[in-house]
Amino acid sequence: MGLIVQKFGGSSVKDRDHLFRVARIIANTRLAGNNVVAVVSAQGDTTDTLLEKAAEITQEPSAREMDVLLSTGEQISIALLTMTLNALGCDAISLTGWQAGFHTNCAYTKARIQRLDCKRIAGELAQGRVVVVAGFQGMTQLEDITTLVRGGRDTSAVAIAAALQADRCQIFTDVEGIYTADPRRVPSARKLKEVSFDEMLELASMGSQVLNNRSVELAKKYHVELEVLSSLNPVEGTVVREQAKTMEGTCIKGMTKDTAVAVISILHLQDLAAARTRIFSLLAQNDVHVDMICQAADQGESNQLHFSIAAADKVKTMQLLQQCGVCDGGEILVDDSCAKVSVVGIGLQTNGGIAAKLFEALASHQINVKMVTTSEIKISVMIRKNDVDLAMRAIHDALVAE
Amino acid sequence: MGLIVQKFGGSSVKDRDHLFRVARIIANTRLAGNNVVAVVSAQGDTTDTLLEKAAEITQEPSAREMDVLLSTGEQISIALLTMTLNALGCDAISLTGWQAGFHTNCAYTKARIQRLDCKRIAGELAQGRVVVVAGFQGMTQLEDITTLVRGGRDTSAVAIAAALQADRCQIFTDVEGIYTADPRRVPSARKLKEVSFDEMLELASMGSQVLNNRSVELAKKYHVELEVLSSLNPVEGTVVREQAKTMEGTCIKGMTKDTAVAVISILHLQDLAAARTRIFSLLAQNDVHVDMICQAADQGESNQLHFSIAAADKVKTMQLLQQCGVCDGGEILVDDSCAKVSVVGIGLQTNGGIAAKLFEALASHQINVKMVTTSEIKISVMIRKNDVDLAMRAIHDALVAE
């Protein structure tokens, strides 16, 4: 008998019919001989309705009271899902975040789990019950209710799976798994059977909506095997684990794009090394995150610096650079007509053929590459925004769908 | 500096405007130099909406899960009211039933308070905060959420007032206080300044909707001074206390009526004493509550028994009487064209003039009295249903409005 943790998002439990669909998935997992802990979010637009009620009263609600308010959303879900499981003849019990043993710090609306005491969950499982836990919430040392930091959407489920050493943590979403590219943009995109934690982290940090980084980091840290699958069509999904067990036909696991970027170019710098240090520490102090960095040589010694930032930081960055004086005598250019396209896969860097194929694919479609960076498992290229869709299809056809 | 506990019902906090009205009442009480604990119910029809969600899933929801579900209603209210108080510049904090220290037994959906640990409430008051507590809920020894027995609508507030030895427990409703009669039926009805616990208990058990018996009993037991007043028009209400401080012009404190009654008459009984014992134990075993009892003598020895029951129990009672055989040879009659009118006030029985005036008032309007019972503080008469409004006005004019 195994132990499976199953996480269901708000759209999966939004009404009676969806609740019954989810309850059948859980009941079937139980009938197959597994213990099950189900972690659920607030129903559909419950959270928005609660946010509206607060907004009617004040634009600056107390963070503590927001957590008292918003945590009711998940509490409603766990009660209804447990009733639904009972209606299907499945013994079940609901637990709020604090009942389930989630101890967090005091950072209301963005709390972090400090300790998870699974005594109650384990006790209920031992009674043969499915345990339905309210995701996204916990309790401080002073017994105040908290909700977890937004990025931590699935962390409750992963934390339970880690604490109970579950055999698998299944994340049910509205997609059937992790795809090599966005199927709406790249017709030849296909679902991956497996992907490693590191690859998933690269994909997630580049804006993939399926899993978020904190959950994947937690799963990697505690060796929790994740599976991403659909609650609407529960066929086999994508497994995320330390090392992919089966080698697939290609080492490329996915592609992403980011169009909200700006490239800053500083030309004719007198002392590049000094300026570079000064510029990057100045930007870091002001919370500007620098992504790609590229130094190009005009002739002989390099005196140009190019780097990319989030488009939202463009104005702030220009002000900082103009005021600090380190670029005096040089020239500062900003280009926000760019977009970044990345491919992710283990062994990309060591497999020289991949980079070559990528550039060949872009060249054959007359796509100019403005910047390039590579890491152990990722190659990113900065291209013109207008070329993004064409580039994604070209790269996918050349590298992924082979 | 005093300590005031203020209880607000669901209609008082149903939307933004009502929340601000209630928050202003609380803030003004605080500004007047008092510490305040506010106890609130779920907003307007929140509870009904949650009940509907459960009913969509199952007709037999687990009582434990119903409490998990329904307790969210009050939790939403406390968060919103606390935000509203903050918006008015009033320092406040919300506490759920379990945070406030309400420990109950395990009777889900009808739990009873076993212990109230006011440490947290007292600590927050000491910080100068208004404490907003979710009414109607608590926690079992196993840390499960419970809701209190329905009759205990105001018991949370009274329990806090008792535990903290508050100077007063104000119950805000949609009426301005306790009236000598229903103002919609008796034009001369007037609001009482004060009423004793015992009088209030008689008024409440006769169907007055303003306060319920468990709350009044608790207040009496722990010497908590209650005040019933309106959240819409917060003028002085009616104070309920052990002994009315000021003597009012009349000892009559109120009138009520009950039209859902039936009178059973058993005539020509062979052995009245034996039959009476048998009949009343039979009815008690079958949960039929007998209210007024009257034995009348035909000539010489009494062989008639008359008693009143709730109209809803009429058919069940007739079946029980016919089947048991004790009335064999006698005659059983049922009359559901009756109604009971009662007047309540301390010293009614010892003040012979009251009963006389009451019968005089009824006689002067040609109203027949079918049965009479008296207690220390109550006189009830059974009359024809058609005469009820006339009788109420006649009695009120003669006894109350003098």
Side-chain angles (χ1 to χ4, degrees):
Chain A
M1 185 186 256
L3 170 60
I4 312 281
V5 176
Q6 300 185 316
K7 160 71 186 4
F8 298 94
S11 59
S12 299
V13 293
K14 69 179 174 189
D15 56 24
R16 179 194 177 283
D17 291 347
H18 283 74
L19 281 166
F20 270 93
R21 183 178 289 135
V22 162
R24 276 189 290 268
I25 292 174
I26 296 170
N28 287 338
T29 310
R30 182 86 189 91
L31 281 176
N34 301 290
N35 274 320
V36 182
V37 178
V39 181
V40 282
S41 304
Q43 287 189 295
D45 46 12
T46 303
T47 304
D48 288 338
T49 307
L50 293 171
L51 286 171
E52 276 165 31
K53 277 178 182 270
E56 277 178 18
I57 291 166
T58 172
Q59 291 310 306
E60 295 171 331
S62 139
R64 181 188 184 278
E65 301 306 330
M66 279 308 282
D67 280 356
V68 173
L69 183 68
L70 294 180
S71 62
T72 62
E74 279 79 21
Q75 191 170 325
I76 291 170
S77 289
I78 57 171
L80 294 176
L81 180 55
T82 304
M83 289 177 190
T84 313
L85 284 163
N86 291 341
L88 294 180
C90 182
D91 194 7
I93 188 167
S94 75
L95 297 178
T96 62
W98 54 269
Q99 288 174 328
F102 281 94
H103 296 265
T104 74
N105 63 9
C106 295
Y108 299 114
T109 73
K110 44 178 190 275
R112 287 176 189 275
I113 302 167
Q114 288 186 320
R115 190 165 56 87
L116 172 54
D117 175 359
C118 277
K119 209 163 50 216
R120 177 80 192 257
I121 296 179
E124 300 294 347
L125 288 174
Q127 306 272 318
R129 296 191 181 112
V130 167
V131 183
V132 180
V133 177
F136 211 61
Q137 55 182 244
M139 183 171 76
T140 69
Q141 213 170 0
L142 294 173
E143 300 195 344
D144 281 343
I145 296 168
T146 50
T147 64
L148 303 186
V149 60
R150 282 284 139 185
R153 207 171 37 189
D154 306 317
T155 43
S156 302
V158 176
I160 291 172
L164 293 173
Q165 299 188 287
D167 296 282
R168 185 168 282 187
C169 179
Q170 295 183 316
I171 311 289
F172 288 85
T173 66
D174 49 3
V175 297
E176 286 177 21
I178 313 287
Y179 281 76
T180 51
D182 184 341
R184 287 165 302 185
R185 291 180 172 275
V186 181
S188 58
R190 61 185 178 77
K191 189 169 70 180
L192 294 166
K193 269 203 169 69
E194 300 192 348
V195 64
S196 74
F197 288 125
D198 288 337
E199 288 168 328
M200 194 64 227
L201 283 170
E202 289 285 6
L203 290 169
S205 67
M206 291 185 300
S208 162
Q209 293 301 306
V210 180
L211 285 175
N212 67 72
N213 261 3
R214 268 188 56 74
S215 308
V216 179
E217 278 166 14
L218 204 65
K220 176 178 158 71
K221 184 171 173 188
Y222 292 103
H223 313 290
V224 173
E225 192 171 292
L226 298 177
E227 183 179 2
V228 176
L229 65 180
S230 161
S231 61
L232 298 174
N233 183 20
V235 295
E236 215 168 86
T238 299
V239 174
V240 190
R241 57 159 65 98
E242 192 53 57
Q243 199 66 33
K245 279 182 188 164
T246 60
M247 286 305 292
E248 302 203 34
T250 171
C251 59
I252 304 288
K253 289 301 167 53
M255 300 178 56
T256 57
K257 65 175 175 79
D258 183 1
T259 55
V261 295
V263 173
I264 308 286
S265 299
I266 308 175
L267 311 178
H268 317 307
L269 277 167
Q270 297 294 326
D271 181 353
L272 176 64
R276 189 177 50 199
T277 309
R278 181 90 176 79
I279 288 167
F280 290 145
S281 65
L282 177 74
L283 293 178
Q285 282 158 21
N286 288 278
D287 294 324
V288 174
H289 175 66
V290 173
D291 182 17
M292 297 172 78
I293 300 174
C294 175
Q295 264 180 243
D298 239 5
Q299 36 181 286
E301 208 179 350
S302 167
N303 61 355
Q304 298 188 358
L305 181 63
H306 308 265
F307 57 89
S308 72
I309 52 171
D313 289 332
K314 192 178 64 175
V315 174
K316 184 180 178 182
T317 303
M318 289 303 282
Q319 282 172 348
L320 288 166
L321 291 175
Q322 278 153 0
Q323 285 162 11
C324 75
V326 293
C327 309
D328 289 355
E331 190 180 355
I332 309 174
L333 302 173
V334 61
D335 178 1
D336 53 8
S337 67
C338 302
K340 185 175 78 165
V341 170
S342 306
V343 294
V344 171
I346 282 179
L348 271 187
Q349 208 174 34
T350 51
N351 187 342
I354 299 285
K357 277 187 194 162
L358 186 146
F359 291 119
E360 190 184 307
L362 294 175
S364 71
H365 289 85
Q366 287 80 46
I367 298 170
N368 278 326
V369 177
K370 197 177 167 81
M371 295 168 83
V372 182
T373 58
T374 61
S375 79
E376 190 64 39
I377 60 170
K378 183 171 75 166
I379 302 178
S380 297
V381 292
M382 190 68 77
I383 57 175
R384 304 237 65 78
K385 213 174 274 186
N386 293 338
D387 290 333
V388 165
D389 287 350
L390 178 62
M392 300 262 301
R393 279 196 297 275
I395 297 171
H396 195 272
D397 290 347
L399 293 179
V400 186
E402 68 186 355
Chain B
M1 186 188 258
L3 169 60
I4 312 282
V5 176
Q6 300 185 316
K7 160 73 184 3
F8 299 93
S11 58
S12 300
V13 292
K14 68 179 175 189
D15 57 23
R16 181 194 177 282
D17 290 348
H18 283 74
L19 281 165
F20 270 93
R21 184 178 287 135
V22 162
R24 274 189 291 269
I25 292 173
I26 296 169
N28 287 337
T29 310
R30 181 85 189 93
L31 280 176
N34 301 289
N35 274 321
V36 183
V37 178
V39 181
V40 281
S41 304
Q43 285 190 297
D45 46 12
T46 303
T47 304
D48 289 337
T49 307
L50 293 171
L51 286 171
E52 276 164 33
K53 276 176 182 274
E56 277 179 16
I57 292 167
T58 173
Q59 291 310 306
E60 295 172 329
S62 139
R64 181 189 184 278
E65 301 305 330
M66 279 306 283
D67 281 356
V68 174
L69 182 68
L70 294 181
S71 62
T72 61
E74 279 79 21
Q75 191 169 325
I76 292 170
S77 289
I78 58 171
L80 294 176
L81 180 55
T82 304
M83 289 176 190
T84 313
L85 283 163
N86 291 341
L88 295 179
C90 183
D91 195 6
I93 188 166
S94 74
L95 296 178
T96 62
W98 55 269
Q99 289 174 326
F102 280 94
H103 297 265
T104 74
N105 62 10
C106 295
Y108 298 113
T109 74
K110 43 179 193 274
R112 288 178 189 274
I113 302 168
Q114 290 186 321
R115 190 165 59 84
L116 172 55
D117 175 359
C118 276
K119 211 163 49 213
R120 177 81 192 258
I121 297 179
E124 299 295 347
L125 288 174
Q127 306 272 317
R129 296 193 180 111
V130 166
V131 183
V132 180
V133 177
F136 211 60
Q137 56 181 244
M139 183 172 76
T140 69
Q141 214 169 357
L142 294 173
E143 301 196 341
D144 281 343
I145 297 170
T146 50
T147 64
L148 304 185
V149 59
R150 282 283 140 187
R153 207 170 38 187
D154 306 317
T155 43
S156 301
V158 176
I160 291 173
L164 293 174
Q165 299 189 286
D167 296 282
R168 184 168 284 186
C169 179
Q170 296 183 316
I171 311 288
F172 286 85
T173 67
D174 48 4
V175 297
E176 285 178 21
I178 313 286
Y179 281 76
T180 52
D182 185 342
R184 286 165 303 184
R185 293 182 168 274
V186 181
S188 59
R190 60 186 179 75
K191 189 170 71 182
L192 293 166
K193 269 204 169 70
E194 299 192 348
V195 63
S196 75
F197 288 125
D198 288 336
E199 290 167 326
M200 194 63 228
L201 282 170
E202 288 286 6
L203 290 169
S205 66
M206 292 185 299
S208 161
Q209 292 302 308
V210 180
L211 284 176
N212 69 73
N213 262 2
R214 268 188 56 74
S215 307
V216 180
E217 278 166 13
L218 203 65
K220 177 178 158 71
K221 184 171 173 188
Y222 292 103
H223 313 291
V224 173
E225 192 171 293
L226 297 177
E227 182 178 3
V228 176
L229 64 179
S230 161
S231 60
L232 298 174
N233 182 20
V235 294
E236 215 167 88
T238 299
V239 174
V240 191
R241 57 158 65 98
E242 194 52 59
Q243 199 65 34
K245 279 182 186 164
T246 60
M247 286 306 291
E248 302 203 34
T250 171
C251 60
I252 303 289
K253 289 301 167 54
M255 299 179 56
T256 57
K257 67 174 174 80
D258 184 358
T259 55
V261 295
V263 172
I264 307 287
S265 298
I266 307 175
L267 310 178
H268 316 306
L269 277 168
Q270 296 292 329
D271 181 351
L272 177 64
R276 188 176 52 198
T277 309
R278 181 91 175 79
I279 289 167
F280 290 146
S281 66
L282 178 73
L283 294 178
Q285 281 158 20
N286 288 279
D287 294 324
V288 174
H289 175 66
V290 173
D291 183 16
M292 297 173 78
I293 300 174
C294 175
Q295 263 181 242
D298 239 6
Q299 33 179 289
E301 208 177 350
S302 166
N303 61 355
Q304 298 189 355
L305 181 62
H306 308 266
F307 58 88
S308 72
I309 54 171
D313 289 333
K314 191 177 64 176
V315 175
K316 183 179 179 184
T317 303
M318 290 303 283
Q319 284 172 346
L320 288 167
L321 291 175
Q322 279 153 1
Q323 284 162 10
C324 75
V326 294
C327 309
D328 288 356
E331 189 180 355
I332 309 176
L333 302 174
V334 60
D335 178 2
D336 55 6
S337 67
C338 302
K340 186 174 78 163
V341 170
S342 305
V343 295
V344 170
I346 281 179
L348 270 187
Q349 208 175 36
T350 51
N351 187 343
I354 301 285
K357 276 186 195 163
L358 185 147
F359 291 119
E360 189 184 307
L362 294 175
S364 71
H365 289 84
Q366 285 83 45
I367 297 169
N368 277 327
V369 176
K370 194 177 169 82
M371 294 168 83
V372 182
T373 56
T374 60
S375 80
E376 189 64 40
I377 60 169
K378 182 171 75 167
I379 302 177
S380 297
V381 292
M382 190 68 77
I383 57 176
R384 303 236 67 77
K385 216 174 272 186
N386 294 338
D387 290 334
V388 165
D389 286 349
L390 178 62
M392 299 269 294
R393 280 196 297 275
I395 296 171
H396 195 272
D397 290 347
L399 294 178
V400 186
E402 68 185 355

